[in-house]
Amino acid sequence: MKAAQVDLVEGKPRLVVGQAPEPLPAPGELLVAVRAIGVNRADLLLRPDHFQSFPARERPPIPGIEAAGEVVGLGAGVDGFAIGDRVAGLTPGAYAERVAMPAGLAWRVPPALDWVQAASLPLAVCTAHDALTGSGRLQRGDAVAVLGATTSVGRIAIALARQLGAAEVVG
């Protein structure tokens, strides 16, 4: 399959399109035919040492951590998903035609979202949710101030804070 990979070209890290082995879904993973990817700051670093934490099966490293696409295979023990489901989620190696995505980091894409919209959400939604409910310990009726309210994470945090019952949200 085709995949974007971080490789050294004339001694400098570059993003190149190459061939990579077809992924096989491990237990608890979905095999997803990627239709769109999210691009994040980490992806833009293009340093081979930045990707050292990627699984050994992904050498040269395939960047990307957000993808949206259709489920084309299921690993053992996966419940709640079926072949053909539209999904988005977090997964290493998203810059490829297919990716093995942890089922616990995937969710169904509603019909109202196109692939690009769906691929742009996973990291921002997880970051906003963690900031509000984890670090921020948001409780129904709390007031919330969102710094960076015009960023993708900030805009999602505003909507999510309202959904979670914040009495007042200020950006």
Side-chain angles (χ1 to χ4, degrees):
M1 78 170 171
K2 289 183 185 174
Q5 299 170 327
V6 177
D7 209 349
L8 291 177
V9 177
E10 297 178 5
K12 295 183 180 182
R14 297 275 193 252
L15 200 58
V16 296
V17 176
Q19 291 295 315
E22 288 280 336
L24 295 173
E29 290 183 334
L30 310 171
L31 181 61
V32 176
V34 176
R35 301 292 183 236
I37 58 170
V39 177
N40 293 281
R41 187 171 190 82
D43 302 326
L44 301 177
L45 296 175
L46 296 179
R47 290 190 342 253
D49 62 325
H50 178 75
F51 298 97
Q52 293 304 310
S53 63
F54 276 34
R57 68 181 180 188
E58 299 191 16
R59 298 281 181 225
I62 300 171
I65 55 175
E66 293 180 294
E70 297 172 46
V71 176
V72 295
L74 301 169
V78 172
D79 293 322
F81 291 98
I83 303 296
D85 282 350
R86 290 168 36 99
V87 297
L90 296 171
T91 184
Y95 287 19
E97 290 181 305
R98 279 167 296 290
V99 67
M101 180 181 291
L105 296 176
W107 58 87
R108 282 192 184 74
V109 173
L113 292 180
D114 66 30
W115 292 123
V116 173
Q117 292 167 326
S120 72
L121 292 174
L123 188 61
V125 168
C126 288
T127 301
H129 186 271
D130 180 60
L132 291 168
T133 65
S135 301
R137 297 186 184 99
L138 174 65
Q139 300 294 313
R140 186 169 293 282
D142 285 352
V144 175
V146 178
L147 304 180
T150 60
T151 67
S152 61
V153 174
R155 293 176 66 179
I156 289 170
I158 290 169
L160 192 54
R162 289 180 179 146
Q163 187 72 24
L164 293 171
E168 183 178 5
V169 181
V170 179

